Amino acid sequence: MASSYNPWLVLLSVAIAIVASYAALGLARRVVTNEEATWRPWLAGGALAMGFGIWAMHFIGMLALRLPLNPGLSLSYSAPLTLASMLPSTAAFGLLLYMIRRVRQPHAVHIALGSLILGAGIGGMHYAGMAAIEIAPVLRFDVGMVALSVVVAVSFASVGVWLAFRQAGARASHRTQVLGAAVMGCAVAAMHYTGMEAAHFADNCVSVSSAWSLPSDGLATAVSAGAFLILGFTILITVMDARLGEQNSRLMQDLRAAKEQAEEAARAKSDFLANMSHEIRTPMNAIIGMSMLALKTDLNPRQRNYVDKVHRSAKGLLGIINDILDFSKIDAGKLAVENIPFSLAEVLDNLANQVGYKAEDKGLELVFDVARDVPDALVGDPLRLGQVLINLGNNAVKFTDQGEITVAVRKLGGPGADATLSFQVKDTGIGMSPPQLERLFASFSQADSSTSRKYGGTGLGLAICKSLVELMHGRIEASSLPGKGSSFRFELPFGLQEATSQAGPARMLQADELRGRRALVVDDNEIARTVTAALARDMGLAVELADSGAVAVRMASDAARAGTPYELLFVDWKMPGMNGVEALRQLQNQRVRIDAASIMVTAYERDDVMDSAHAAGVSLQAVLTKPVTPSTLLETVAEVLGRCQPGKARGGERSPAPGAPRSLVGARVLLVEDNLLNQELAMELLSDAGMQVVLAQNGRDALHVLQDDIAFDGILMDCQMPVMDGFEATRAIRDDPRLTTMPVLAMTANAMAGDRERVLAVGMNDHISKPIDVDEMFNVLARWIKPRQRQRAALGMAPSPAPAAAPPVPAAPATSAAPVDGRPLDALRTIDTAAGLRRTQQNQGLYRRMLIKFAEGHRDFGTGFAAAVERGDMALATRMAHTLRGTAGTIGANAVWQAATELELACDQGRPRAAQLALLAVVQRELGPVLEELRTWTAANGPATPPAGGAAEAKAELARLTQRLRTLLVESDPEAVALVAALRRAAAGSAAQQPIHAITQAVDDFRFDEALEALDQWGGAS
């Protein structure tokens, strides 16, 4: 039977195929780009929409078919088969979208597989739809045309699959999608009409309707309307989702950019804080160290008062700096906690050292209430625990004017090898109201502005405490009432050391040695009396209490008369009415029997107590320093009972490491430091401790020293130096098999997060922060440095021979006391000499030498800097500007300092060469008058005159001085610097003047090894 097609319906079917293809390509993109949780709904909805769209195109194409049936008859379709024909295309599109989702980089095999799936789905849908036509006789198909239609379907499907993969990729565009939809739609239509040509209708065929028939009348309109509606909706939501995705992508890009900016700002802040720390701590090192050294000298009362206030203020400023840096580390999430074995008793001892003196100064009682079952050998972070306790303790002292401060420790339990401890710091101070408690742990906040004005502080301490406690997996809380005091309580989990997980301090007495022994505890403070008594009872003592000296005298007298004397008396020193010394004096005068010992308990200095007792004629067996802890009480009792050697117990000593300097006597160390002021301070501190010091100016100099001489007990390494910094030098040291165990201790002003980890990572053993805390420095040194002389003595070996002693020569007068020749310093108009003298501790001799060095060292600055810039050696140019800046600031050439600062900044920032040379001109404009004035001033000073008495006496004097200098240089004794002025005077006008100038120049710079080598090469005065 001849057939024909309705051209409008054919065009309509092609249009539906193109629209469906456009939707398919958009869906492929959405399936790929959506997140894990949302791509499945897109796949399911897309498969249904595409299945329906292609089916609609096929159905409209069948409706376009015209057969010459009987008038009034039209084709009808089986509803079940018509709907079922939709399934193959829906399943095929679902599988294709899944493949596109999973395969991000398709190959030929993926295209081929997708083509077979899509071609089979379209072919299945087509022939299932043809079977739905209700006609008799049944349709027949041309096998050849069927095969051709399948080939066409698979071939055109390959084009569609390739386009779908491409659309899903990053290279997709709207234009690509439109062109791809047109090609794919026409391909699908071509396959359909090829398949239609495979069908053969009989000449006598008639339409056979069934109960489930779908009449063809109106179907084209309904199906096409439904297809466009569904596909249009699909395209709409696809476009909307794509735009939302683009907006989200832009938003994520903005968020990433904002995050990167925030991270960059955090890095900049960290770098700024590190630089600020270095810049502040370096002069702070000099202030704290030099003021401490000055306090050791003979000062009149007014001078001592001034210097002591400077020292205290500097340490207070250092505390503020540390708070700010700690807060910054916490804010940046870069503050880490350790997990190491430690002793709780040592942490509490350190707390007593840090807080005890402050409480003593205010007349407050500091009480430690540590339960007996609290373990001592813990695993955790002792530094951060101590920091929290010291911060809370200092706060308690600050806000308490009378009464006591109690530090209580309790064990709350813990699983297995862990223990949770509760710490409470309670005071009787001013207290706080509920509103003040609510903002207590906020950063930069105190109770109120009046509190801030009256008591000072940054408002960071409690915020840092809270952050530290939370970092250690604990929690902190506070309670308070106005006028009644405050209580801070925090809980922390700790591990227990495997071999020493038992509670309490290590015992030096047998369990039954103290059981039943009678003891009297005398203290006017109820809490201190109760705590001391509880600790003594835990040790097995039978304790009675007295609240005053008079009551104690009566009770001791009554007990002695009754034949049950007290064996131990624990007597507080400072009590109202009758103090402890007076109470013991009366007992001794009355010959009251005390079987074992009288122990004075005090928060004051041990020496003060002993002096007071000696003046009153009272015999004391021991002094126990408050706050009393289980370990100090036990050790003190063991000492007075002869169970440990005197001095071995910690009972009364309140010093971070009283033996540290003594243990370092005889140690030989290599000091690697480029800053002259730090050299002078470190060498004097180390020499005062009996150590021999060899100086290296930078890391490379240190390596040169170590090539020929490794007889050092340790190396103190500055981290930031020119030529070679401390990190590179340490790596080279660790590469030397001879030096793998040599202690290397970092000395740096950087105190940011990760600084300690960085020095440890390169092979250093520990970290000493600047400004130098002398006690902490000696603690670290004693931990790592074991003098070889001491080791040889312990092994019964003879010590290494010392250099032959030189004949005694009167020491040259100190530089600061040396007579000052020439024009006065106030003749210098371009230099702030008052500021320069302040920086040299009013040492005029040292300051004059610095002025001469400045003039000599920077005479050719402009030429050297310009040459460095011309060669492109910006590292040298930056270093020259940095050196000029530092030395100008030191001598007080403020205008030069300002100009050099700008020049250094320009070099650091890599500004154009023209800008750098313009700033160089500014530096030369300021530097020229200074150098000219110094040249005139130096010439006016004139050369020193040789000593009177003739050439022979001058020669003998020079010989004695050089011999003395050699002895000091061999011993690396900083006293060599004091000989410089006398040597130059003795050599003036002689042939020795030039070599002596070179030698003393090296001595002035603390380059003792170079000075010794030059002295030996010269051969001395002959």
Side-chain angles (χ1 to χ4, degrees):
M1 178 181 291
S3 61
S4 61
Y5 292 92
N6 184 332
W8 296 108
L9 291 182
V10 170
L11 291 175
L12 181 60
S13 68
V14 174
I16 292 175
I18 293 174
V19 173
S21 299
Y22 184 87
L25 295 178
L27 284 167
R29 179 70 175 167
R30 303 313 333 132
V31 169
V32 170
T33 56
N34 273 276
E35 298 296 332
E36 190 68 27
T38 58
W39 70 271
R40 289 181 179 84
W42 277 105
L43 188 148
L48 289 172
M50 287 308 304
F52 178 79
I54 297 301
W55 174 87
M57 171 269 157
H58 160 76
F59 198 73
I60 295 297
M62 289 196 302
L63 291 176
L65 180 66
R66 291 289 181 262
L67 296 175
L69 298 176
N70 295 328
L73 293 179
S74 61
L75 291 176
S76 60
Y77 301 88
S78 171
L81 285 177
T82 299
L83 296 176
S85 66
M86 196 185 304
L87 296 178
S89 61
T90 302
F93 273 105
L95 286 174
L96 179 61
L97 290 175
Y98 183 79
M99 180 185 296
I100 293 173
R101 167 76 185 184
R102 292 302 181 190
V103 180
R104 298 303 174 91
Q105 293 182 341
H107 300 295
V109 64
H110 301 116
I111 301 295
L113 180 60
S115 301
L116 289 175
I117 292 173
L118 185 58
I122 294 176
M125 175 209 67
H126 174 79
Y127 288 106
M130 293 292 290
I133 299 176
E134 295 179 328
I135 193 172
V138 179
L139 284 174
R140 290 182 300 103
F141 293 92
D142 186 314
V143 176
M145 292 300 295
V146 170
L148 177 62
S149 69
V150 172
V151 171
V152 170
V154 172
S155 300
F156 285 130
S158 64
V159 177
V161 171
W162 179 80
L163 289 171
F165 271 116
R166 181 181 175 85
Q167 184 66 25
R171 295 171 295 176
S173 66
H174 180 69
R175 182 179 179 183
T176 303
Q177 185 175 353
V178 172
L179 291 176
V183 172
M184 191 173 173
C186 292
V188 171
M191 180 271 158
H192 168 77
Y193 288 107
T194 302
M196 290 292 290
E197 289 302 314
H200 288 282
F201 297 89
D203 292 337
N204 58 347
C205 67
V206 295
S207 177
V208 180
S209 299
S210 66
W212 297 95
S213 295
L214 292 174
S216 60
D217 298 337
L219 273 180
T221 303
V223 171
S224 59
F228 282 118
L229 181 63
I230 293 175
L231 292 175
F233 180 73
T234 301
I235 293 172
L236 177 63
I237 61 173
T238 301
V239 171
M240 291 177 61
D241 185 71
R243 292 184 177 178
L244 287 174
E246 291 173 359
Q247 292 178 0
N248 288 339
S249 178
R250 286 194 296 269
L251 179 60
M252 290 302 297
Q253 290 177 356
D254 293 342
L255 288 175
R256 280 193 294 269
K259 180 184 177 183
E260 290 173 359
Q261 290 177 356
E263 290 174 347
E264 180 63 29
R267 283 192 295 270
K269 182 179 74 171
S270 296
D271 291 342
F272 168 75
L273 288 170
N275 293 332
M276 180 194 73
S277 168
H278 181 76
E279 294 298 329
I280 294 178
R281 285 168 176 265
T282 298
M284 286 283 289
N285 180 35
I287 296 170
I288 293 175
M290 292 298 185
S291 60
M292 187 209 68
L293 292 173
L295 289 171
K296 293 182 178 180
T297 62
D298 293 330
L299 301 173
N300 63 43
R302 175 178 289 183
Q303 292 170 334
R304 182 168 295 278
N305 178 44
Y306 292 161
V307 176
D308 182 62
K309 286 179 178 177
V310 169
H311 188 69
R312 288 173 179 266
S313 298
K315 295 192 80 170
L317 177 58
L318 182 60
I320 294 173
I321 294 171
N322 288 337
D323 276 352
I324 294 173
L325 292 175
D326 276 345
F327 180 77
S328 299
K329 295 176 194 175
I330 294 170
D331 186 50
K334 294 183 178 180
L335 192 145
V337 295
E338 293 183 313
N339 199 40
I340 60 174
F342 72 95
S343 166
L344 178 62
E346 292 180 2
V347 174
L348 295 178
D349 285 347
N350 185 51
L351 175 63
N353 294 335
Q354 298 287 331
V355 180
Y357 292 124
K358 297 177 182 179
E360 172 188 324
D361 290 343
K362 295 186 71 172
L364 302 174
E365 192 82 31
L366 178 60
V367 180
F368 283 4
D369 181 9
V370 183
R372 183 170 177 76
D373 64 342
V374 172
D376 179 67
L378 302 173
V379 177
D381 192 330
L383 176 65
R384 299 306 176 188
L385 171 61
Q387 187 175 353
V388 173
L389 288 172
I390 290 171
N391 213 325
L392 295 178
N394 285 337
N395 262 7
V397 173
K398 181 194 296 186
F399 296 109
T400 304
D401 294 325
Q402 61 182 1
E404 65 274 340
I405 295 162
T406 304
V407 179
V409 187
R410 297 289 184 269
K411 181 180 178 183
L412 302 180
D418 295 332
T420 299
L421 301 186
S422 169
F423 297 85
Q424 183 182 37
V425 180
K426 186 177 181 180
D427 62 62
T428 56
I430 60 175
M432 291 173 286
S433 64
Q436 291 170 339
L437 275 175
E438 290 180 359
R439 59 176 181 271
L440 186 62
F441 293 106
S443 304
F444 305 103
S445 172
Q446 289 190 333
D448 55 39
S449 57
S450 63
T451 302
S452 232
R453 288 194 299 270
K454 181 177 179 181
Y455 295 98
T458 61
L460 288 175
L462 291 177
I464 292 172
C465 285
K466 183 175 185 292
S467 297
L468 289 177
V469 169
E470 291 174 350
L471 276 174
M472 292 186 286
H473 309 291
R475 59 188 183 90
I476 187 171
E477 59 187 14
S479 59
S480 182
L481 288 174
K484 301 294 185 181
S486 303
S487 173
F488 290 84
R489 180 177 176 274
F490 63 94
E491 298 175 4
L492 289 176
F494 295 98
L496 298 177
Q497 297 177 32
E498 292 180 3
T500 54
S501 59
Q502 71 275 8
R507 297 185 62 89
M508 294 160 290
L509 295 163
Q510 297 298 322
D512 58 350
E513 285 189 70
L514 297 179
R515 186 173 293 119
R517 292 198 178 202
R518 287 169 53 75
L520 179 63
V521 175
V522 187
D523 201 312
D524 64 300
N525 185 281
E526 181 180 1
I527 294 179
R529 184 171 67 245
T530 302
V531 169
T532 304
L535 294 176
R537 289 191 180 103
D538 287 341
M539 293 164 49
L541 295 171
V543 181
E544 295 184 9
L545 306 177
D547 60 3
S548 68
V551 173
V553 171
R554 176 176 56 79
M555 291 178 66
S557 300
D558 292 345
R561 284 193 295 270
T564 55
Y566 296 111
E567 298 178 70
L568 292 168
L569 289 183
F570 298 94
V571 185
D572 186 30
W573 180 25
K574 295 290 188 178
M575 293 185 290
M578 182 185 297
N579 64 31
V581 171
E582 176 60 22
L584 292 178
R585 189 188 68 79
Q586 290 193 19
L587 289 174
Q588 291 180 12
N589 289 342
Q590 297 174 21
R591 302 185 182 278
V592 174
R593 177 185 169 193
I594 305 295
D595 275 359
S598 300
I599 301 171
M600 188 67 72
V601 185
T602 181
Y604 296 85
E605 290 285 354
R606 178 190 181 95
D607 292 341
D608 293 344
V609 178
M610 298 302 291
D611 290 344
S612 177
H614 180 73
V618 172
S619 174
L620 288 177
Q621 281 68 51
V623 175
L624 177 61
T625 303
K626 293 182 178 179
V628 180
T629 65
S631 59
T632 57
L633 180 62
L634 181 61
E635 291 164 359
T636 302
V637 172
E639 180 183 341
V640 299
L641 294 179
R643 296 301 187 271
C644 73
Q645 297 178 10
K648 295 293 184 183
R650 291 174 297 180
E653 299 297 333
R654 192 155 66 197
S655 173
R662 289 192 295 275
S663 71
L664 296 170
V665 172
R668 186 169 184 261
V669 297
L670 176 61
L671 174 65
V672 190
E673 170 65 67
D674 67 305
N675 184 276
L676 294 178
L677 194 57
N678 288 336
Q679 290 174 3
E680 182 178 356
L681 175 62
M683 293 188 72
E684 185 158 352
L685 290 172
L686 298 174
S687 298
D688 284 351
M691 304 171 70
Q692 298 180 26
V693 187
V694 175
L695 179 66
Q697 297 287 330
N698 54 59
R700 183 175 298 169
D701 287 351
L703 296 180
H704 290 161
V705 171
L706 293 169
Q707 282 178 356
D708 304 318
D709 183 4
I710 62 169
F712 294 100
D713 299 304
I715 301 171
L716 276 67
M717 182 74 71
D718 185 25
C719 291
Q720 297 180 347
M721 295 178 291
V723 184
M724 180 184 289
D725 63 26
F727 300 108
E728 185 178 352
T730 302
R731 281 190 287 266
I733 288 171
R734 291 308 183 212
D735 288 339
D736 189 335
R738 303 173 302 162
L739 303 172
T740 54
T741 59
M742 174 74 70
V744 181
L745 308 176
M747 298 182 69
T748 177
N750 284 346
M752 290 302 293
D755 290 331
R756 187 171 187 273
E757 291 75 9
R758 187 182 179 194
V759 302
L760 295 178
V762 298
M764 299 188 192
N765 298 84
D766 215 327
H767 175 274
I768 299 172
S769 182
K770 296 177 185 176
I772 295 173
D773 182 312
V774 178
D775 292 331
E776 179 61 27
M777 180 187 74
F778 281 128
N779 278 338
V780 175
L781 292 177
R783 187 181 309 142
W784 294 103
I785 294 179
K786 310 300 178 187
R788 300 187 183 197
Q789 294 279 5
R790 185 182 301 275
Q791 294 169 7
R792 296 171 69 92
L795 295 171
M797 301 169 61
S800 302
V809 177
T815 307
S816 59
V820 178
D821 300 323
R823 293 175 58 187
L825 290 171
D826 56 13
L828 298 171
R829 301 299 181 188
T830 59
I831 298 174
D832 185 353
T833 56
L837 284 169
R838 283 197 301 272
R839 295 186 181 97
T840 57
Q841 302 290 298
Q842 305 301 322
N843 188 330
Q844 287 205 21
L846 173 61
Y847 184 51
R848 286 171 179 271
R849 293 198 302 276
M850 291 172 60
L851 291 174
I852 295 171
K853 288 180 185 178
F854 181 85
E856 293 175 349
H858 300 295
R859 183 169 43 206
D860 300 321
F861 174 82
T863 304
F865 184 90
V869 173
E870 183 69 25
R871 294 193 306 270
D873 190 352
M874 294 312 302
L876 175 60
T878 303
R879 190 162 63 250
M880 290 181 66
H882 178 79
T883 302
L884 177 62
R885 172 195 174 197
T887 52
T890 300
I891 67 170
N894 297 330
V896 178
W897 174 86
Q898 181 65 44
T901 300
E902 293 294 331
L903 182 59
E904 181 186 4
L905 184 62
C907 294
D908 281 338
Q909 294 177 346
R911 295 183 193 173
R913 178 182 171 188
Q916 295 173 359
L917 293 178
L919 289 171
L920 173 62
V922 176
V923 170
Q924 290 180 298
R925 186 168 64 246
E926 300 294 346
L927 179 61
V930 174
L931 294 178
E932 178 61 26
E933 188 175 42
L934 285 174
R935 187 189 64 78
T936 305
W937 178 81
T938 303
N941 281 329
T945 57
E953 288 81 354
K955 188 174 182 180
E957 173 70 7
L958 182 59
R960 287 194 298 272
L961 289 172
T962 53
Q963 194 171 20
R964 171 64 174 162
L965 176 65
R966 189 182 191 286
T967 300
L968 295 173
L969 292 177
V970 168
E971 297 174 353
S972 297
D973 192 332
E975 191 67 27
V977 178
L979 292 178
V980 167
L983 277 164
R984 287 176 176 170
R985 285 195 299 271
S990 70
Q993 181 170 350
Q994 185 173 351
I996 285 296
H997 177 77
I999 293 167
T1000 53
Q1001 184 78 22
V1003 173
D1004 251 348
D1005 292 339
F1006 288 92
R1007 293 179 282 116
F1008 288 173
D1009 285 343
E1010 294 180 25
L1012 181 60
E1013 182 179 352
L1015 183 61
D1016 289 341
Q1017 288 177 354
W1018 173 55
S1022 59

